[in-house]
């Protein structure tokens, strides 16, 4: 009979540990398996130049010992879920002075980042009632002058999280928020205005992406989306890219020369809407004049259909956008 107290795979982990001990020059190590027994694999190996370490382990005394032996780590990924071992023992401090990129649970992040100067943090919250204050405070203290990108996966609309980031870390360039819940209706006006207030605090934000992980698809109103991204762009003049939580992944881009927001060229509905605006909207007059002038000079037949001209106009616009953003 199989005994639950016997570790039948002890020799397997021993072989892995011995193999790792024979490779001291490893620079990247990936242990992305859901197996806490891999903690013992890390007890002895030491890698002189380890800069990239990924695992699905939670913080424990043995893992922290491994991390503190490898202060050359620049990129660290830990478990996205509940991470701390239930123990009355106070865990040692994590010291990773060269860490620039962290991926993992917010609780791990609070323990890992105090001695780091991060450029990017990819955070997740498993506990739906967990407050974001600890990790954001830690990032402000350690990485407030260096961090450029923050990506968060958390339940709810996350207005509290976005507001907190805008106050504590107003100098980031990219903010990505994934809302983990099901919704069928578009965000209401109070949500739009709350985001607008938060955006006004950012000084150099160029890209905000708000996604809903579980979104029941419905019809889109691009006129409404255009009004939203325009108001957000007015609140945050540095903003260039924007994805709305109900836009099903479609991004909007600000054409700065004309201060006009246009949707993703790869989206059919976005292409049709942009063509309509080019032909009819007074506010797009300067842009449409440039596009139509190009179309008239191009070597095209007089009976081209609307779809071709729409694609051609989009090609022109995005060519100009690419040059402008560079």
């Amino acid at each position: 009979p199989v005994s639950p107290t016997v570790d039948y795979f002890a020799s397997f982990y021993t072989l892995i540990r011995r193999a790792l001990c024979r490779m001291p020059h490893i620079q990247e190590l990936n242990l992305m398996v859901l197996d806490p027994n891999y903690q013992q694999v890390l007890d002895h190996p030491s890698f002189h130049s380890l800069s990239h370490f990924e695992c699905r382990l939670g913080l424990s005394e043995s893992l922290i010992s491994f991390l503190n032996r490898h202060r050359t780590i620049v990129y660290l990924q830990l478990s996205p879920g509940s991470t701390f071992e239930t123990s009355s023992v106070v865990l040692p401090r994590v010291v990773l002075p060269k860490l620039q990129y962290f991926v993992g649970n917010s609780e791990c992040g609070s323990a890992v980042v105090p001695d780091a100067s991060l450029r990017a943090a990819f955070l997740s919250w498993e506990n739906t009632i967990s407050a974001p204050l600890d990790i954001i405070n830690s990032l402000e203290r350690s990485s407030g002058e260096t961090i450029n990108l923050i990506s968060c996966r958390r339940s709810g609309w996350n207005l509290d999280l976005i507001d907190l980031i805008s106050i504590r870390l107003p100098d980031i360039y990219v903010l990505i928020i994934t809302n983990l819940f099901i919704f069928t209706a578009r965000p209401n006006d109070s949500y739009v205005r709350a985001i607008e207030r938060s955006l006004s605090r950012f000084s150099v934000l160029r890209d905000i992406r708000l996604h809903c992980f579980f979104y029941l698809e419905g019809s889109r109103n691009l006129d409404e989306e255009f009004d939203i991204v325009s108001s957000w762009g007015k609140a945050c003049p540095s903003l260039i890219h924007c994805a709305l939580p109900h836009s099903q992944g479609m991004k909007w881009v600000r054409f700065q020369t004309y201060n006009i927001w246009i949707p993703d060229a790869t989206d059919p509905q976005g292409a049709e809407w942009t063509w309509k605006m080019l032909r009819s909207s007074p506010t797009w007059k300067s842009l449409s004049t440039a596009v139509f002038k190009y179309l008239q000079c191009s070597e095209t037949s007089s009976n081209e259909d609307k779809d071709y001209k729409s694609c051609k106009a989009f090609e022109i616009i995005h060519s100009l956008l690419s040059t402008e953003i560079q």
Side-chain angles (χ1 to χ4, degrees):
V2 177
S3 171
T5 61
V6 177
D7 185 358
Y8 293 97
F9 292 93
S11 58
F12 169 74
Y13 299 111
T14 299
L15 286 173
I16 295 176
R17 182 171 62 248
R18 288 177 180 174
L20 290 175
C21 287
R22 291 176 176 269
M23 296 182 284
H25 302 297
I26 286 179
Q27 296 183 17
E28 181 174 338
L29 180 60
N30 188 323
L31 297 176
M32 296 295 284
V33 288
L34 289 170
D35 184 353
N37 289 309
Y38 269 85
Q39 301 271 8
Q40 59 186 287
V41 169
L42 302 174
D43 284 346
H44 302 294
S46 183
F47 311 109
H48 311 309
S49 304
L50 186 66
S51 62
H52 188 115
F53 177 55
E54 299 182 31
C55 70
R56 298 296 296 270
L57 301 172
L59 279 181
S60 64
E61 193 165 357
S62 60
L63 179 57
I64 292 175
S65 176
F66 173 83
L67 294 176
N68 287 342
R69 290 200 309 274
H70 299 89
R71 299 190 179 189
T72 55
I73 292 176
V74 174
Y75 180 101
L76 174 64
Q77 180 168 349
L78 300 178
S79 170
S82 184
T83 54
F84 287 95
E85 293 183 347
T86 55
S87 173
S88 59
V89 178
V90 177
L91 293 175
R93 183 184 180 93
V94 180
V95 182
L96 294 174
K98 294 189 176 181
L99 187 66
Q100 296 182 27
Y101 304 93
F102 173 76
V103 183
N105 186 274
S106 61
E107 294 179 4
C108 276
S110 298
V112 166
V113 305
D115 288 284
S117 296
L118 294 187
R119 297 181 62 184
F122 300 84
L123 307 169
S124 60
W125 280 260
E126 184 179 68
N127 188 341
T128 57
I129 62 173
S130 177
L133 186 61
D134 288 346
I135 179 60
I136 301 303
N137 281 346
S138 294
L139 287 173
E140 180 190 19
R141 288 192 295 267
S142 67
S143 310
E145 296 182 358
T146 59
I147 194 161
N148 296 322
L149 182 152
I150 298 177
S151 176
C152 302
R153 293 170 59 88
R154 182 170 173 258
S155 179
W157 282 111
N158 288 305
L159 289 175
D160 60 331
L161 176 58
I162 297 169
D163 188 62
L164 183 61
I165 293 172
S166 72
I167 295 171
R168 301 300 177 90
L169 297 164
D171 299 326
I172 61 173
Y173 288 87
V174 180
L175 177 61
I176 305 168
I177 303 291
T178 301
N179 305 306
L180 302 178
F181 74 115
I182 298 175
F183 84 106
T184 57
R186 296 183 180 88
N188 58 29
D189 187 65
S190 63
Y191 172 88
V192 172
R193 299 299 162 233
I195 297 294
E196 187 176 317
R197 287 192 295 272
S198 295
L199 284 173
S200 67
R201 301 189 187 103
F202 289 106
S203 58
V204 291
L205 188 70
R206 294 173 63 86
D207 189 340
I208 183 168
R209 304 174 214 170
L210 306 176
H211 305 298
C212 282
F213 192 73
F214 299 105
Y215 175 67
L216 301 182
E217 293 187 7
S219 61
R220 300 211 309 263
N221 185 332
L222 294 191
D223 290 331
E224 178 185 274
E225 291 186 23
F226 175 74
D227 290 339
I228 292 173
V229 296
S230 295
S231 66
W232 289 2
K234 185 176 181 180
C236 182
S238 61
L239 198 63
I240 295 175
H241 299 97
C242 182
L244 302 175
H246 55 289
S247 61
Q248 303 171 27
M250 187 185 75
K251 289 183 66 174
W252 288 79
V253 183
R254 193 207 302 250
F255 196 174
Q256 291 177 296
T257 301
Y258 299 94
N259 195 29
I260 290 175
W261 287 86
I262 61 174
D264 189 346
T266 61
D267 185 279
Q269 187 177 349
E272 182 179 351
W273 180 87
T274 301
W275 180 243
K276 179 195 74 173
M277 295 295 286
L278 282 171
R279 297 182 65 187
S280 61
S281 175
T283 59
W284 289 48
K285 183 177 180 180
S286 54
L287 177 58
S288 61
T289 299
V291 171
F292 286 123
K293 182 177 180 180
Y294 185 95
L295 285 172
Q296 289 170 359
C297 295
S298 63
E299 296 179 0
T300 58
S301 61
S302 58
N303 61 348
E304 288 176 312
D305 61 20
K306 183 183 72 172
D307 290 338
Y308 177 82
K309 287 188 176 182
S310 175
C311 292
K312 192 69 176 178
F314 243 73
E315 179 185 324
I316 298 164
I317 293 170
H318 280 269
S319 175
L320 291 171
L321 268 174
S322 299
T323 304
E324 181 179 89
I325 292 172
Q326 288 173 1

